[in-house]
Every structure is written in C-alpha cells, then in structure tokens.
Amino acid sequence: MPMPDTGEQELGSAMTDRSLDVAWIHGAPGEPAIQVHRYDDATVILRQSKRINYEAPFLFLLFGADRALLLDTGATEDPAAFPLRETVDGLVAQWLERHPREGYELVVAHTHGHGDHVAGDAQFAGRPHTTVVAREAEAVREFFGFGADWPTGTVRFELGGRELTLIGSPGHHAAAVTYYDPATGFLLTGDTVYPGRLYAFDFPAFVATLDRLVAFTAEHPVTHVLGCHIEMTRTPGRDYPIGAQYQPDEPAPQMTPAQLTAVRDAAASVADRRGVHRFDDFLVYNEPRKRDMLRLTARGLAHKTLARLRPAAAAGR
Ligand SMILES: [Zn+2]
C-alpha cells in the first residue's frame, strides 16, 4: 500500500510500498516497450520488452537530492521503438515536481559495457545537466575514481543523501561494476548474478568477484540481489532458449543473499572445468568453448523456427 504523502519526505522512504511482487512484462502481445515499476519515491526499476529485443534487460533509476543515476540504457538504440529518454525525462520531471530544485543532474552509467546495456546511450546525448559515462573499463574506473586497487577496492558515489558503494566486478565483462544502495538494500549485480546463464569469460576474476560480493553482503544489509536479465523458467535447472521472446514462466528477477552465496559456491565448485554447468536457479558458463556457444545458438535457432511454425507450442518451452 502506498503511504500517505507527509510533505517532508525523507528521500526514498515515502510513497512507497517497496514491493517486488510485480507482474513483469515478458513478451506478451501488445505489452509496452518499457515497463516502469516505482519501487519507492526515489527508486524506479524499468524493463525493456522482449518483443523489442530478447535480452529484455532491467534498468535502474535511483534519485538522490543532487543527482539521479540511470544504470544501463537497454538493448535498442532507436528511440521510436524504445523511448527510454522520453520515459526517463518523464520520471525525472515527476520526481522534480515532488522535490523541486534547480540544475538537477543525471548520470547515465552502466552495470557493464555489453551492447544490450548501452544501446540507448545516444538518446541522452545533449541532455542538459547530464553525464553519460563511456562503456569502456578505463572510462568507468576513471569516472568513479577506482584507484590502482581495482577491482578489490570499493568506491563511494554520492547522489545526495544517498551514497552508493561500488564494487569492481570483472569476470563477465572487464568494466562490470556492482552497485550497492543502502537506501533500498539493493545489490545491483548486472550480468554477474541473475537467474539465468552466467557467462564468465574470465573465470578466476569471476570467482574472485563473487567472493567479494558474498563478503560484502555479510557486512551490509542486502535485501535483494538484482541483476539485469531473466533466462530461467520456474522449472529448476531449465533455462529458456537464447533468443526467446516470450517467457510466461519466468521466475522473479530478484535473488536472495543466500542465492548469491549459492552462485559463488557453484562457481567455485566448477572452477577447474570449462564449459556449461547447470544448477537449479542459474547456469554457469565457465569460459565457454566454441562448442558450448554453438550448442546454445543451435537451440535458440531451433526454438525460433518452432516459434514461427507453431507459436503456441514454442510459447511454452
Ligand atoms: Zn546483458
């Protein structure tokens, strides 16, 4: 239940039901290009539609007193198909109506630099009071002030009354960063941890990152571990084929700290075995070989063909 507006609101605490019990868009006909879920007054979770791009990433918009942070810009460049800028501008305008101030900044940064997380960056070019952080590892480290101790040292990023902790998280991608938000307890893990296929292209770095995330979570109150995709079905160990554009049987995107630990333990247990390892809530791709990726692609193509020939059958599994 939304709480009554008390006028003097502590950032992020009012107008909130703080629920993640959300019916997320998952590729059904007629669904919007972007779903907007207001978690609380200062926290918005967005999801791109699977109908536009099968990656269907989640994006996060966090408001502080001085600036807002948009994490990721989706998998589609075209503002006509994917009106991210318009959506974010609307959300910022609404927030500023509730919390009027001048020169409010927007920082557009990323969980990591893969194409399905940066595609909409150009939509923010030329936006007033806006910084778009480049996708490359060097630019990310420089902007946030990661020093020579990357990736083991953490850095703080102040939004104004809301100070995030950033944890260098290479393994899936060299520029991957995990964002911890004490206001919500969210640990935003990008493509490092989510209910799906965890592609670790640098496995030792991936396991070291998971160790750091587990250690961090032991020391800080984490409510939800939120990554950027869902690729599992609700059947343990069963993922949707890559490229699936309709996923009616998805689990929720959020995972628990216990599941984060399970990811770490699972990864550590297969550290010396390259290839694909299946677990109940996720798969671990340990430096996948050509044949692992070919098998993945072949299954995706078969699914796509089936979806074209027999849409109803392909909608299931
Ligand atoms: Zn991704």
Side-chain angles (χ1 to χ4, degrees):
M1 289 291 290
M3 286 161 60
D5 193 324
T6 53
E8 274 301 299
Q9 298 164 359
E10 197 188 321
L11 289 172
S13 66
M15 285 180 56
T16 170
D17 65 1
R18 293 201 152 193
S19 172
L20 287 179
D21 187 14
V22 183
W24 290 107
I25 56 172
H26 53 260
E31 71 181 26
I34 307 173
Q35 179 177 7
V36 173
H37 174 61
R38 290 174 183 79
Y39 179 75
D40 64 27
D41 174 61
T43 308
V44 182
I45 306 174
L46 305 105
R47 189 183 200 189
Q48 177 170 1
S49 170
K50 279 217 156 251
R51 304 198 78 78
I52 299 167
N53 186 295
Y54 75 87
E55 295 281 9
F58 289 87
L59 294 70
F60 304 90
L61 180 60
L62 311 177
F63 293 90
D66 303 326
R67 60 185 65 83
L69 174 68
L70 174 65
L71 279 180
D72 291 356
T73 60
T76 302
E77 203 177 323
D78 178 11
F82 180 59
L84 180 63
R85 165 76 184 273
E86 188 187 319
T87 302
V88 169
D89 282 357
L91 289 164
V92 171
Q94 287 168 22
W95 192 86
L96 286 173
E97 251 171 57
R98 302 195 297 273
H99 309 275
R101 60 204 67 212
E102 294 295 314
Y104 191 67
E105 293 173 31
L106 174 68
V107 173
V108 179
H110 311 101
T111 59
H112 63 292
H114 281 148
D116 55 316
H117 300 261
V118 305
D121 278 14
Q123 294 188 25
F124 295 87
R127 187 185 186 278
H129 311 296
T130 298
T131 304
V132 180
V133 182
R135 67 197 286 183
E136 291 80 15
E138 208 137 286
V140 172
R141 292 203 293 257
E142 189 181 319
F143 178 80
F144 287 115
F146 282 102
D149 59 350
W150 165 275
T152 53
T154 60
V155 299
R156 304 293 181 94
F157 188 63
E158 181 57 77
L159 301 181
R162 187 177 198 176
E163 192 182 56
L164 311 180
T165 300
L166 278 54
I167 306 161
S169 302
H172 172 73
H173 184 265
V177 171
T178 297
Y179 297 76
Y180 173 65
D181 171 36
T184 56
F186 287 176
L187 190 68
L188 303 174
T189 47
D191 283 6
T192 303
V193 177
Y194 65 89
R197 293 178 289 271
L198 308 178
Y199 304 105
F201 300 108
D202 177 344
F203 208 74
F206 183 70
V207 174
T209 286
L210 291 170
D211 278 336
R212 287 196 304 280
L213 296 184
V214 168
F216 183 90
T217 301
E219 302 284 321
H220 300 79
V222 170
T223 54
H224 300 286
V225 176
L226 272 162
C228 289
H229 302 281
I230 304 170
E231 289 156 359
M232 301 309 287
T233 69
R234 286 179 192 271
T235 304
R238 177 100 189 155
D239 55 329
Y240 278 102
I242 193 168
Q245 291 195 277
Y246 181 51
Q247 297 192 166
D249 192 34
E250 286 179 346
Q254 68 271 20
M255 298 175 85
T256 63
Q259 284 175 302
L260 169 66
T261 302
V263 171
R264 190 274 309 271
D265 293 348
S269 76
V270 299
D272 55 1
R273 281 186 286 147
R274 278 189 76 178
V276 183
H277 306 278
R278 197 172 287 275
F279 300 89
D280 279 0
D281 301 336
F282 52 87
L283 279 73
V284 173
Y285 276 62
N286 177 348
E287 298 186 9
R289 301 152 299 188
K290 213 170 204 169
R291 64 175 180 272
D292 298 323
M293 299 314 272
L294 282 173
R295 199 172 294 144
L296 180 72
T297 310
R299 182 182 169 217
L301 283 174
H303 169 80
K304 214 166 214 169
T305 307
L306 182 67
R308 224 170 273 135
L309 297 175
R310 296 168 52 208
R317 302 288 155 78

